[in-house]
Amino acid sequence: MIKLIASDMDGTLLNDKHEISEENVKAIKKAEEAGITFAISTGREYDTVESLLKKNDIKCQCVLMNGAEYRDEDGNIVEEINMKQEVAKKIILMLQEKKVSARIFTNKGIFTTDTEEEALKEMAYRSKSFNPEFTKEQAIEYAKTQPYFTQLQYISNLDEFFEDDIQVRKFVAFHEDIKLVERMKREIGKIEGLAVSSSFRDNMEITHETAQKGIILAKVAEKMGINRDEVMVLGDSFNDYSMFTEFTESVAMGNAIDEIKEIAKYITDTNVNDGVAKAIYRVLEERQN
């Protein structure tokens, strides 16, 4: 019997408007009424998750930054997994050498080594990646208003940055040259103690090797006294892979990448057709039978 449902956000719980549909919200509420705990498991940082949860009156635990941070229902940090500073510095230098822009998620906010102009260019590309209907100009104007740009902090001196008791939890980079992204993933992946994954084919996400969704979710379930076969996970992309290997009750979205579909126990509908809700309803129906 399923007691915990953990869902990815982008490409899974969120539709093409990057919103949680009414049907998905309804299904989550029904699951909670049935005594099932619902949790978010995402590559996003808390600030971009919290607003969506509040908007839809959802209060739940959150696995964040691919597993580098875990927060309870009230948003309190329960667990965090940081990289060693020397490793983080090495990654920054490798990215700078290839001129790949990245956001650096830390205990003191989000940083970049880029200039404001360079950061805006990367954020505009990210905005267009999320909203392909945008023109280049629209993407730039949209990016200027988004928290992931307006709240960005700039590193002027790398040594001073690391002297400030900084704890690095995750790197995220988007680049239009997918071959370059793949090369960088391979090169950075050679560094011992790291997990390198993607939410999209044109991005890379870097965390400590133990900061993976499946690993931290398994810890959460254990603390709650829930067996692994009582956990259902939903996802669509590379950074969901660890959930699908840790838990047998795995559900791939209809829009998921082939690598996720191949190891999933079930395949539900797409993220634009309330695939999460349909998977939840299946669980609720099985409970009644």
Side-chain angles (χ1 to χ4, degrees):
M1 183 183 293
I2 299 298
K3 295 181 181 178
L4 170 64
I5 296 174
S7 175
D8 170 51
M9 294 194 77
D10 294 289
T12 302
L13 184 62
L14 305 184
N15 57 26
D16 58 349
K17 296 179 180 177
H18 315 297
E19 297 174 344
I20 306 174
S21 71
E22 288 184 15
E23 197 61 42
N24 280 347
V25 173
K26 181 180 174 183
I28 291 167
K29 300 289 187 186
K30 284 187 176 294
E32 291 175 334
E33 288 169 8
I36 299 172
T37 300
F38 179 79
I40 292 293
S41 186
T42 181
R44 289 177 175 235
E45 70 280 12
Y46 188 64
D47 287 347
T48 61
V49 174
E50 183 185 27
S51 56
L52 284 164
L53 295 181
K54 284 185 175 180
K55 180 180 178 181
N56 294 283
D57 192 29
I58 296 172
K59 199 172 184 181
C60 68
Q61 301 174 52
C62 296
V63 172
L64 303 155
M65 302 184 201
N66 289 352
E69 192 174 278
Y70 165 58
R71 299 197 185 214
D72 64 17
E73 293 88 345
D74 297 315
N76 301 308
I77 297 176
V78 176
E79 188 167 348
E80 58 192 50
I81 302 171
N82 302 306
M83 298 179 196
K84 291 180 179 179
Q85 285 197 351
E86 60 267 28
V87 172
K89 189 171 184 178
K90 185 175 182 178
I91 294 168
I92 290 171
L93 294 174
M94 289 175 72
L95 293 171
Q96 284 183 318
E97 183 184 356
K98 298 297 183 183
K99 295 183 169 51
V100 175
S101 298
R103 283 168 297 138
I104 306 164
F105 295 79
T106 78
N107 59 323
K108 297 187 176 183
I110 308 171
F111 291 81
T112 182
T113 56
D114 291 338
T115 63
E116 186 171 347
E117 183 181 357
E118 290 168 338
L120 179 58
K121 183 179 178 182
E122 193 268 344
M123 297 303 175
Y125 175 75
R126 181 190 180 203
S127 297
K128 197 168 189 325
S129 182
F130 274 76
N131 303 275
E133 74 278 6
F134 280 2
T135 63
K136 183 178 179 180
E137 291 71 24
Q138 287 174 323
I140 291 171
E141 292 307 310
Y142 178 80
K144 286 178 180 178
T145 67
Q146 298 306 299
Y148 54 70
F149 177 70
T150 59
Q151 296 175 10
L152 200 57
Q153 302 174 68
Y154 298 90
I155 301 170
S156 56
N157 184 298
L158 205 53
D159 291 328
E160 289 179 5
F161 170 70
F162 281 108
E163 285 172 2
D164 193 26
D165 192 30
I166 207 80
Q167 296 293 333
V168 176
R169 293 180 186 155
K170 181 185 177 186
F171 287 86
V172 174
F174 280 80
H175 201 284
E176 58 188 347
D177 186 341
I178 294 174
K179 289 184 178 179
L180 175 59
V181 171
E182 290 299 323
R183 286 200 303 274
M184 292 302 296
K185 283 169 64 177
R186 287 193 296 270
E187 287 300 310
I188 293 172
K190 292 176 184 177
I191 300 173
E192 188 176 350
L194 294 179
V196 182
S197 63
S198 302
S199 294
F200 310 93
R201 294 198 179 273
D202 58 354
N203 94 319
M204 62 179 144
E205 303 174 7
I206 309 159
T207 59
H208 187 276
E209 63 181 348
T210 60
Q212 297 184 56
K213 291 182 180 184
I215 294 174
I216 197 166
L217 195 59
K219 289 182 184 178
V220 172
E222 186 177 352
K223 286 180 180 178
M224 295 171 68
I226 296 174
N227 297 326
R228 295 201 182 196
D229 60 359
E230 295 173 326
V231 179
M232 183 176 80
V233 295
L234 300 104
D236 73 303
S237 195
F238 292 111
N239 69 348
D240 300 311
Y241 200 90
S242 62
M243 293 199 298
F244 283 59
T245 55
E246 291 284 342
F247 301 98
T248 56
E249 299 303 302
S250 55
V251 182
M253 303 302 293
N255 53 284
I257 60 173
D258 292 339
E259 291 89 339
I260 291 295
K261 287 182 177 179
E262 286 169 5
I263 62 171
K265 185 172 181 179
Y266 306 102
I267 297 177
T268 187
D269 210 331
T270 65
N271 65 315
V272 297
N273 288 322
D274 304 319
V276 169
K278 291 172 182 176
I280 292 174
Y281 291 144
R282 177 185 61 79
V283 169
L284 296 177
E285 286 170 9
E286 287 177 356
R287 276 190 160 212
Q288 294 174 349
N289 296 332

